[in-house]
Amino acid sequence: MRIGAARQTYAADEALFETTVQRAWFAGLLAALVAFPFMADAYWLYLACLVAINVASATGLNILTGYTGLVSLGQAAFMGIGAYTVAVLEIRFGTPFLLNLVAAGLLAAAGGILVGIPSLRVKGLYLAIATIAASFILHFVFANWTSVTNGVTGLSMPPARLFGVALDTSFRMYWLIVPVTVLMVMGAANLFRTRIGRAFIAIRDRDISAEVLGIPLLRYKLMSFALSSFYAGVAGGLWAYFFRVVTPESFPLVMSIFYLAAIIVGGMGTILGPILGAAFMTMVPEVLKLGVGWLSPWVPDAVALLSPVRTIVFGALIVGFLVFEPQGLAEIWRRVRRFFHLWPFKT
Amino acid sequence: MLVTRRTMLGLAMAAGAAMVAAPPAVAADDIVIGGSIPMTGVFAFAGVGIHAGIGDYVKIVNDAGGIKGRKIKYVYEDTGYKVDASVAAFQKLTSQEKPNFYYGDSTGFSKTINPELERNGNILMAGASFASELNDPQKYPYQFMAGPDYTAMFGVLLRYIQKTQPGAKVAFVHSDTEFGRDPIKPSTALAASLGLKVVETIVTPPGSVDVSTEVLKLRRADPDFTIFHGYVLAPIPEFITQARQMNMKSRFMGTFWSMDHSMVMKLGDVGEGFMGVMPYRYYYDTDPKAPMLAKIRQMRPEYQSTAYMQGFVTAMLFVEAAKRCVESGKELNGKNLKGCLNGIKDFDTGGLFGVPITVSGNSIPVGRVYRADMKAKTMVPVSDWIKAE
């Protein structure tokens, strides 16, 4: 517990931010997010948007896997539902993008509830396999429901429009993607201050005990699936608006593994974990590329020679984190913060 | 020295900052070719060749003085054959280097980046994809492919079949991917119009191993020719091995990405007689009409893949379009470069294509049928150059 942060009310105990300093830092972060697009070039803006989409989806998966303890490898498929929903609504009906995103989330949530039904009977690896099966079924639907999804060719869609302005660049998309992601992360953070969120945690820690405490397991597990898939659906919708081409191959199984890896590397069961994990998984390959490019003046054709090494380093970094920091990047962050709480009195 | 966690963190941050600060370098009048190249991942076997091909042609042009003294600069990023990484590479290179040309690594990337190409308006793009969908100058005005699209490749094969065995029975075996399904529908119609019977169409997962039920299906259909598409290698060897064990007489064929010499040679003895379509001559073709191949062999004495040829030819077409624009005093933007590219008529590629080429739309619908000679370990031409239009 922090020095000078004595809590005297239950409300203070549940507050998202314990101190004024924390609130000030958060305001600083928001200000930095607002300032970022004016300082970054198209490449960094593109990466920022990609990280934000991945953060939104990873946060959803964290609700299900990190907080409720239900392993899912169907996150990419739920993103696919969201992306196709947005693409179809945008192309056929031209409905406003915010409505499309909500519809994407709701439809994905419905899909999540269906897939989550076996979760009362199966857990752990068995549930993971059940969700893989669901993702194969959804892939089949995307590839073969030609009248809606346009089959393997997929759908190319127009950009989202806001007051007549087409959101067709990373700079413009940033103002859609990042606020939506911030809202979603704040939503997730608040969720665990409510009965629902606490019920999820109780289920994760011991589902039988949770049931004894009066938590209806099926209802809450399905709710967790629905929420997680809602996040995936909205993230998929944002993805569709960002890339503007949706094909069955856009959301492969390996993408679900990516999100699972992101929350494990970041730290499961924390709000910060998926943010750091998604940023790490998205950015490290790019930073390693920069490193390889940096060696170019000294190593001729460095990119060609060192690209395979780069993928090995990325893999080794993930393994390294799992071995040396099993609590994830969020734990490193906490440790750094603890250091500064007492600095300069203790270093 | 004890390396603490804090020291490591500090070092990592310093290294990261140094990497981010790496400066780009491009001369103002350089003509720049950018590339999202798959040097790692499932398509790396092709990416390495493509990279070498583009690099070699750029070197040849620069060694000869460039285009009116303007040097060609080739900059690229590895993509791992992932669309999001390809787009990141595109954004990075367009921010830093302002390329005039771009090489894309997949159909997914070509489709995804198309709106950005139209918005940017300064780049002409080609790539590793021969997707029929991209062969539409209205929909993809700033793109082209340095060869025939997949439907045209099937067209070359079907025309060859019609000529050698009119009324033959044909089967299509393709992967359950966008790549695999691409030419199947139009090619089924073309086969009918050529008087050929498509007796079976088999779909498998890409890279599948167990294909025994599919081979039984193929045996029941008893085709004279079986065309594989949407694979690089697996399950083609397994298909052919099992079919040979069942004494099937069908002749097996492939399209561009399964027709590299080293890939075909991996089939071993069962690959004897394997045929397929190839728009370029193979590395070891010593035809006197192909002086460029002699030059390539001089630069690189070891075998170079068909992906290398594809990269080389693509760079050649980029440079030719730029040359025509520079010579006619036109600004180097996407529209002008595409116009200059489409102005290419009966162009000699130094024999890489066996016939002079004309780029009328987004593709060059020419190809030749080759057959594997396993004893001589070479791909032997069995047809003349066929136009698929």
Side-chain angles (χ1 to χ4, degrees):
Chain A
M1 197 174 127
R2 299 188 62 168
I3 294 169
R7 298 155 187 164
Q8 293 174 12
T9 60
Y10 285 121
D13 212 25
E14 285 184 338
L16 275 183
F17 303 106
E18 293 173 0
T19 63
T20 316
V21 176
Q22 279 184 326
R23 275 188 283 273
W25 274 111
F26 185 67
L29 173 70
L30 290 183
L33 287 176
V34 171
F36 179 76
F38 300 103
M39 296 184 290
D41 66 11
Y43 167 61
W44 289 105
L45 276 170
Y46 167 82
L47 286 178
C49 291
L50 200 59
V51 167
I53 292 169
N54 288 338
V55 165
S57 189
T59 300
L61 184 62
N62 191 39
I63 293 173
L64 184 66
T65 304
Y67 281 105
T68 321
L70 302 170
V71 184
S72 168
L73 282 169
Q75 197 72 352
F78 297 132
M79 281 181 77
I81 296 181
Y84 271 106
T85 307
V86 159
V88 169
L89 288 175
E90 186 69 48
I91 294 166
R92 296 202 177 175
F93 305 104
T95 39
F97 69 85
L98 277 178
L99 185 73
N100 296 347
L101 285 175
V102 172
L106 291 176
L107 213 64
I113 290 172
L114 265 181
V115 173
I117 289 172
S119 67
L120 194 69
R121 288 294 182 94
V122 293
K123 283 191 281 191
L125 282 177
Y126 298 88
L127 182 62
I129 298 298
T131 54
I132 288 180
S135 75
F136 278 119
I137 292 168
L138 283 170
H139 184 273
F140 181 83
V141 171
F142 298 152
N144 292 284
W145 194 10
T146 314
S147 58
V148 174
T149 62
N150 200 23
V152 287
T153 310
L155 299 166
S156 296
M157 56 187 278
R161 300 191 86 85
L162 183 64
F163 304 122
V165 178
L167 306 182
D168 56 357
T169 60
S170 295
F171 179 86
R172 290 175 181 173
M173 277 305 292
Y174 182 92
W175 300 107
L176 169 63
I177 293 172
V178 171
V180 170
T181 299
V182 169
L183 274 180
M184 287 166 84
V185 172
M186 294 293 288
N190 276 295
L191 178 70
F192 298 100
R193 299 162 69 203
T194 66
R195 176 190 158 81
I196 296 170
R198 287 172 196 279
F200 289 170
I201 295 169
I203 291 169
R204 176 193 68 190
D205 292 345
R206 197 77 181 153
D207 56 354
I208 296 171
S209 309
E211 193 163 25
V212 171
L213 287 169
I215 296 166
L217 286 190
L218 182 63
R219 205 171 108 200
Y220 276 91
K221 282 185 174 181
L222 291 187
M223 208 185 283
S224 181
F225 258 102
L227 271 168
S228 167
S229 314
F230 180 87
Y231 272 62
V234 175
L238 292 172
W239 192 98
Y241 275 124
F242 190 49
F243 288 103
R244 285 164 52 197
V245 174
V246 184
T247 73
E249 288 163 38
S250 303
F251 302 98
L253 183 61
V254 70
M255 199 168 170
S256 297
I257 297 170
F258 171 92
Y259 289 119
L260 199 58
I263 61 166
I264 292 172
V265 168
M268 283 203 289
T270 61
I271 291 300
L272 193 63
I275 300 173
L276 295 179
F280 177 89
M281 295 288 288
T282 314
M283 292 304 298
V284 168
E286 290 298 321
V287 173
L288 288 174
K289 269 186 212 171
L290 285 171
V292 170
W294 187 59
L295 290 173
S296 296
W298 297 281
V299 184
D301 212 4
V303 180
L305 286 172
L306 297 177
S307 288
V309 179
R310 205 193 64 231
T311 51
I312 294 170
V313 171
F314 181 45
L317 275 175
I318 293 177
V319 175
F321 269 112
L322 296 182
V323 173
F324 295 109
E325 200 55 77
Q327 308 261 28
L329 293 165
E331 184 57 30
I332 297 180
W333 178 251
R334 265 196 293 269
R335 208 180 297 125
V336 171
R337 275 181 56 194
R338 266 202 301 272
F339 169 79
F340 282 106
H341 286 166
L342 296 173
W343 185 84
F345 303 110
K346 181 179 180 298
T347 54
Chain B
M1 189 186 119
L2 183 69
V3 181
T4 62
R5 228 183 234 139
R6 209 177 304 156
T7 324
M8 283 303 291
L9 206 67
L11 283 173
M13 283 171 74
M19 287 169 189
V20 172
V26 56
D29 65 344
D30 278 354
I31 292 166
V32 181
I33 299 175
S36 288
I37 311 285
M39 303 298 288
T40 54
V42 291
F43 206 53
F45 74 93
V48 173
I50 291 163
H51 165 66
I54 299 175
D56 281 0
Y57 190 71
V58 167
K59 186 174 181 306
I60 290 172
V61 176
N62 284 339
D63 287 350
I67 300 172
K68 280 197 162 180
R70 290 174 73 174
K71 295 281 178 193
I72 314 289
K73 185 179 181 192
Y74 166 48
V75 287
Y76 69 103
E77 283 276 326
D78 172 38
T79 65
Y81 200 55
K82 290 179 191 150
V83 173
D84 54 356
S86 299
V87 178
F90 179 89
Q91 297 285 9
K92 187 176 173 186
L93 295 175
T94 47
S95 302
Q96 294 175 353
E97 308 275 2
K98 307 272 179 263
N100 308 97
F101 299 98
Y102 205 83
Y103 189 98
D105 62 351
S106 65
T107 309
F109 173 71
S110 299
K111 285 162 69 173
T112 304
I113 212 67
N114 193 52
E116 180 61 20
L117 280 178
E118 289 194 38
R119 202 187 60 76
N120 182 302
N122 289 314
I123 302 170
L124 178 63
M125 192 175 110
S129 174
F130 294 109
S132 308
E133 190 190 349
L134 301 179
N135 191 8
D136 181 348
Q138 302 296 321
K139 220 171 147 190
Y140 298 93
Y142 300 135
Q143 297 196 42
F144 74 97
M145 56 190 82
D149 65 23
Y150 295 127
T151 305
M153 289 185 198
F154 264 61
V156 170
L157 291 174
L158 293 172
R159 282 178 178 85
Y160 169 79
I161 293 170
Q162 185 218 18
K163 208 171 169 188
T164 50
Q165 192 178 333
K169 290 188 287 180
V170 184
F172 298 154
V173 181
H174 65 90
S175 65
D176 190 13
T177 58
E178 184 180 7
F179 170 30
R181 287 174 185 257
D182 180 303
I184 301 304
K185 215 170 160 186
S187 301
T188 307
L190 177 68
S193 72
L194 293 171
L196 304 169
K197 293 182 208 85
V198 179
V199 288
E200 187 63 86
T201 301
I202 295 171
V203 191
T204 77
S208 55
V209 179
D210 180 17
V211 287
S212 35
T213 49
E214 284 84 359
V215 178
L216 283 172
K217 255 170 102 178
L218 195 66
R219 187 189 178 194
R220 276 197 293 276
D222 192 25
D224 300 304
F225 292 87
T226 303
I227 304 177
F228 293 103
H229 179 69
Y231 309 106
V232 175
L233 196 60
I236 297 174
E238 194 56 30
F239 246 102
I240 300 179
T241 306
Q242 290 192 24
R244 292 284 177 250
Q245 284 165 355
M246 290 176 186
N247 292 321
M248 280 181 64
K249 295 283 180 281
S250 178
R251 276 162 280 178
F252 295 97
M253 296 176 144
T255 50
F256 183 81
W257 290 115
S258 54
M259 278 300 287
D260 180 46
H261 168 88
S262 55
M263 293 289 174
V264 177
M265 292 304 137
K266 277 184 194 161
L267 292 171
D269 289 342
V270 294
E272 180 64 47
F274 183 77
M275 288 190 283
V277 58
M278 178 53 58
Y280 321 117
R281 288 183 203 269
Y282 282 88
Y283 171 81
Y284 39 69
D285 193 329
T286 50
D287 194 307
K289 288 181 200 155
M292 192 57 89
L293 277 175
K295 195 163 193 169
I296 290 171
R297 284 192 292 271
Q298 211 175 15
M299 288 174 81
R300 292 186 184 262
E302 69 286 4
Y303 171 78
Q304 293 301 311
S305 65
T306 47
Y308 172 94
M309 299 300 165
Q310 206 261 6
F312 195 93
V313 166
T314 306
M316 188 185 280
L317 292 171
F318 281 159
V319 170
E320 188 57 28
K323 200 169 135 194
R324 288 169 187 240
C325 275
V326 169
E327 281 171 358
S328 57
K330 286 181 182 161
E331 188 197 346
L332 297 186
N333 60 33
K335 197 179 169 194
N336 289 343
L337 289 169
K338 186 66 180 288
C340 292
L341 180 85
N342 287 147
I344 294 176
K345 290 203 172 35
D346 296 329
F347 175 67
D348 180 10
T349 52
L352 296 183
F353 279 95
V355 285
I357 56 162
T358 298
V359 194
S360 50
N362 276 10
S363 75
I364 305 158
V366 177
R368 191 190 213 181
V369 181
Y370 281 81
R371 186 177 61 80
D373 181 342
M374 288 301 180
K375 283 195 191 93
K377 296 222 174 293
T378 51
M379 300 300 291
V380 186
V382 291
S383 79
D384 204 350
W385 295 91
I386 298 170
K387 281 197 174 178
E389 278 177 329

